[in-house]
Amino acid sequence: MKPRIGVIGASEINTEEYKTAEIVGSEIAKRDGIVICGGMEGVMEAVSKGARSQNGLVVGILPGSRAEQANKYIDVPIVTGFGHGRNIIVVSSSEAIIAIGGSFGTLSEISFALRLKIPIIGLNTWNVSEQIIQTNDPVQAVDKAFSSISCSRNSGL
Amino acid sequence: MKPRIGVIGASEINTEEYKTAEIVGSEIAKRDGIVICGGMEGVMEAVSKGARSQNGLVVGILPGSRAEQANKYIDVPIVTGFGHGRNIIVVSSSEAIIAIGGSFGTLSEISFALRLKIPIIGLNTWNVSEQIIQTNDPVQAVDKAFSSISCSRNSGL
Amino acid sequence: MKPRIGVIGASEINTEEYKTAEIVGSEIAKRDGIVICGGMEGVMEAVSKGARSQNGLVVGILPGSRAEQANKYIDVPIVTGFGHGRNIIVVSSSEAIIAIGGSFGTLSEISFALRLKIPIIGLNTWNVSEQIIQTNDPVQAVDKAFSSISCSRNSGL
Amino acid sequence: MKPRIGVIGASEINTEEYKTAEIVGSEIAKRDGIVICGGMEGVMEAVSKGARSQNGLVVGILPGSRAEQANKYIDVPIVTGFGHGRNIIVVSSSEAIIAIGGSFGTLSEISFALRLKIPIIGLNTWNVSEQIIQTNDPVQAVDKAFSSISCSRNSGL
């Protein structure tokens, strides 16, 4: 199976965060990874757009009950109807997480990833644990995410 | 977005049902549809195998909390950890449903599809509503599923 | 712990069904049982009203994300925000189920109860399995529900 | 409806945290509030024990699929089968939250409470937002929780 990278962050973001998320998506697709995200606006849209620009596969795990609520770059909308309850699914379905900025919704996802021992790479995000690998460079973030997946798969975790 | 066909049925099945599900998967992939299923054994495995044989994309929405529990033909495991609670996600994420045989778990999914007015094609399955389009032919079942999706998309539903 | 009886049925019902559900709620409360229901209108409201008239405890497992959506007889609103995904919680939290009439949402709950081997007593409801104990009398339905719980508890299930 | 106070914290705790949680439960029950918790060990058990000692009502929203997994002080087990996905239900069902210590699971619940603007009182817990009302005194924590509920109810929120 192709590596699955969860990318999380706020739905309301500035231009710089949008650009960062777009690069992250593009770099994941270049390395033949699947982008898992929440399927909506902001970071979710930007990472989807970036991945699609490189013909990558983008999965959007939606809070609402209609596929039409997905941003236009989503290939596979997963329609949960579970509201914020879908956050745990975004995290559990990912082999590594890249967190970009983000508010309390993102913090809930970071918490779940820490709880489940899923590697997290942080780009200007919550600093609630030393287990979060912090970086300022989106390309490096993607490199680290792929490295952590190789490491997990090889160790049989 | 590519058409998303949910294929549901029991995890314990006989050889004939396995063959039927495999044909359904293969035919969905030939028509460039995405297979959505529960990701486990039986009908879920057979439809996944069939779709993969034609290079189709297969999404498995898993009840458990580990991606490794997916059958080996799944491209995108969605790890819910929600047990039977994932059934509603299988249904909501699909534009049409093909039900093959099945027991009470399948009946819960058929009920949700009827509740949400998602078209269902039945192959030797529960006959609880006239809204279920019954057929004995797996190729015809796939044809009808794609027709119902075209119809829904064109009518703006 | 007090016996927990799940009462399920449609949100749109006629006067007779309302009266039946009210008796069921009243009889559960008289026997010191807890009513578990979906917390909304129709059968859910009637059974809650009946139980409250006898000072019984009523738990409403709500589909939406606001406690205020509960009917006015609910003592303990459980706010899931999971839409139809809450149906599995209504069933799993109950030691026996009484189904009154009902449409496809009710059928999904009956299916889950059959899947989980939770006893179901049916009052003019779906007849999809011989395992559903059918009756026309609401008092008898409650008697049978309590008997099945005693049986389960004694057998250590 | 009686005030519903969610009490969250780790399943592995020390004697002091156990005592604190027990006082919190006892004080909630004295003020005729309902305790909402995760239903398991540690803080969840201690708060349940405290509440029951004062004949309070205790609701346990369980991660697993069996009511028997609840601690012995739970009056109403809500059986979700949703694993960590039940955390959002604990939070959404509460009108105010008291967080006692806690690790990443607790942090996910604090995040959801902040996201949903549900008042949080913290007893030696995560300090991720100024919106968390920090205190060292369990009685004061309960007082503040009840005050915040009165305030919310009066303002019509």
Side-chain angles (χ1 to χ4, degrees):
Chain A
M1 282 194 285
K2 294 182 181 182
R4 299 181 309 280
I5 316 282
V7 182
I8 62 178
S11 52
E12 294 181 20
I13 57 175
N14 61 33
T15 311
E16 191 183 355
E17 289 171 311
Y18 198 98
K19 188 66 200 161
T20 298
E22 216 177 329
I23 295 170
V24 165
S26 162
E27 293 292 322
I28 291 171
K30 282 184 197 167
R31 288 163 181 74
D32 208 24
I34 298 174
V35 168
I36 306 280
C37 73
M40 303 299 283
E41 303 81 33
V43 161
M44 299 169 268
E45 179 185 303
V47 70
S48 302
K49 186 179 180 186
R52 281 290 285 274
S53 74
Q54 300 293 327
N55 298 312
L57 185 69
V58 186
V59 177
I61 300 179
L62 299 168
S65 54
R66 289 178 61 85
E68 292 71 19
Q69 294 165 332
N71 72 61
K72 63 183 170 183
Y73 306 105
I74 297 294
D75 293 296
V76 184
I78 302 295
V79 183
T80 70
F82 283 15
H84 303 297
R86 70 81 148 86
N87 292 11
I88 183 75
I89 306 180
V90 172
V91 173
S92 301
S93 301
S94 302
E95 295 175 279
I97 297 281
I98 297 174
I100 302 171
S103 185
F104 298 127
T106 304
L107 183 56
S108 74
E109 294 171 314
I110 289 172
S111 307
F112 283 133
L114 290 164
R115 177 70 182 76
L116 298 173
K117 299 190 190 305
I118 294 170
I120 314 175
I121 293 87
L123 282 159
N124 301 311
T125 190
W126 293 91
N127 194 359
V128 290
S129 167
E130 292 180 359
Q131 291 167 51
I132 303 173
I133 302 165
Q134 305 282 357
T135 175
N136 292 312
D137 176 17
V139 180
Q140 195 176 53
V142 175
D143 281 338
K144 286 177 185 292
F146 276 82
S147 301
S148 70
I149 293 176
S150 298
C151 183
S152 297
R153 288 189 174 189
N154 289 335
S155 69
L157 286 175
Chain B
M1 283 194 285
K2 294 183 180 181
R4 298 181 309 283
I5 317 282
V7 182
I8 61 177
S11 53
E12 295 182 18
I13 57 175
N14 60 34
T15 311
E16 193 183 354
E17 289 171 313
Y18 197 98
K19 187 67 199 162
T20 298
E22 216 177 328
I23 295 170
V24 165
S26 161
E27 295 292 321
I28 293 171
K30 282 183 196 168
R31 288 162 181 74
D32 209 25
I34 298 175
V35 168
I36 308 279
C37 72
M40 305 298 284
E41 302 83 30
V43 161
M44 300 169 267
E45 179 186 302
V47 71
S48 303
K49 185 179 179 186
R52 280 291 284 274
S53 73
Q54 299 294 328
N55 297 311
L57 185 69
V58 186
V59 177
I61 300 178
L62 300 168
S65 54
R66 291 179 61 84
E68 291 73 16
Q69 294 165 333
N71 73 61
K72 62 184 171 183
Y73 307 105
I74 297 295
D75 292 296
V76 184
I78 302 296
V79 182
T80 69
F82 284 13
H84 302 296
R86 71 83 150 82
N87 292 11
I88 183 74
I89 306 180
V90 172
V91 173
S92 301
S93 300
S94 302
E95 294 174 279
I97 298 280
I98 298 174
I100 302 172
S103 185
F104 299 126
T106 304
L107 182 55
S108 75
E109 293 170 316
I110 290 173
S111 307
F112 283 133
L114 290 165
R115 177 73 183 75
L116 299 172
K117 299 189 192 303
I118 295 170
I120 315 175
I121 293 89
L123 282 159
N124 301 311
T125 191
W126 293 92
N127 194 359
V128 291
S129 167
E130 292 180 359
Q131 291 166 52
I132 304 173
I133 303 166
Q134 305 283 355
T135 175
N136 291 312
D137 175 19
V139 179
Q140 195 178 54
V142 175
D143 280 338
K144 286 177 183 294
F146 275 82
S147 302
S148 70
I149 294 175
S150 296
C151 183
S152 297
R153 288 190 173 187
N154 288 337
S155 69
L157 286 174
Chain C
M1 283 194 285
K2 294 184 181 181
R4 299 181 309 281
I5 317 281
V7 183
I8 61 178
S11 53
E12 295 182 21
I13 56 175
N14 61 33
T15 311
E16 192 182 355
E17 289 172 310
Y18 198 98
K19 187 67 199 162
T20 298
E22 217 176 329
I23 295 169
V24 165
S26 162
E27 294 293 321
I28 292 172
K30 282 183 195 167
R31 288 162 181 74
D32 208 23
I34 298 174
V35 168
I36 307 280
C37 72
M40 304 298 285
E41 304 84 30
V43 161
M44 299 169 268
E45 180 187 302
V47 71
S48 302
K49 186 179 180 187
R52 281 291 285 274
S53 74
Q54 300 293 327
N55 297 312
L57 185 69
V58 186
V59 177
I61 300 179
L62 300 168
S65 55
R66 291 179 61 85
E68 291 73 16
Q69 294 164 332
N71 72 62
K72 63 184 170 183
Y73 306 105
I74 296 295
D75 294 295
V76 184
I78 303 296
V79 183
T80 69
F82 284 13
H84 303 295
R86 71 84 148 81
N87 292 11
I88 183 75
I89 307 180
V90 171
V91 173
S92 301
S93 300
S94 302
E95 295 175 278
I97 297 281
I98 298 174
I100 302 171
S103 184
F104 298 126
T106 305
L107 182 56
S108 75
E109 294 170 316
I110 290 173
S111 307
F112 283 134
L114 290 165
R115 178 70 183 78
L116 299 172
K117 299 189 191 302
I118 295 169
I120 314 175
I121 293 88
L123 282 158
N124 301 312
T125 191
W126 293 91
N127 194 358
V128 290
S129 166
E130 292 180 359
Q131 292 167 52
I132 303 173
I133 302 166
Q134 305 283 354
T135 175
N136 292 311
D137 176 18
V139 180
Q140 195 178 51
V142 175
D143 281 338
K144 286 177 184 294
F146 276 81
S147 302
S148 70
I149 293 176
S150 297
C151 184
S152 297
R153 288 190 174 187
N154 288 336
S155 68
L157 287 175
Chain D
M1 282 194 285
K2 295 183 181 181
R4 299 180 309 282
I5 316 282
V7 182
I8 62 177
S11 53
E12 295 182 20
I13 58 175
N14 62 33
T15 311
E16 191 182 355
E17 289 171 311
Y18 198 99
K19 188 68 200 159
T20 298
E22 217 176 330
I23 295 169
V24 165
S26 162
E27 294 293 321
I28 292 171
K30 282 183 196 168
R31 287 162 182 76
D32 208 24
I34 298 174
V35 168
I36 307 280
C37 73
M40 303 299 284
E41 303 82 32
V43 161
M44 299 169 267
E45 179 186 303
V47 71
S48 302
K49 185 179 180 186
R52 280 290 284 275
S53 74
Q54 300 294 325
N55 297 313
L57 185 69
V58 186
V59 177
I61 300 178
L62 300 168
S65 53
R66 290 179 63 83
E68 292 73 16
Q69 294 165 333
N71 73 60
K72 62 184 171 184
Y73 307 105
I74 296 295
D75 292 296
V76 183
I78 302 296
V79 182
T80 70
F82 284 13
H84 303 296
R86 70 83 148 84
N87 293 10
I88 183 75
I89 305 180
V90 171
V91 173
S92 301
S93 300
S94 303
E95 294 175 280
I97 297 281
I98 298 175
I100 302 171
S103 186
F104 298 126
T106 304
L107 182 56
S108 75
E109 294 170 316
I110 290 173
S111 307
F112 283 133
L114 290 164
R115 178 69 184 76
L116 298 172
K117 298 190 191 303
I118 294 170
I120 315 176
I121 294 87
L123 282 159
N124 301 311
T125 192
W126 293 92
N127 194 358
V128 290
S129 167
E130 291 179 1
Q131 292 166 53
I132 303 173
I133 303 165
Q134 305 282 356
T135 174
N136 291 312
D137 176 19
V139 179
Q140 196 178 54
V142 175
D143 281 339
K144 287 178 183 295
F146 275 82
S147 302
S148 70
I149 293 176
S150 297
C151 184
S152 297
R153 287 188 175 189
N154 289 335
S155 68
L157 284 177

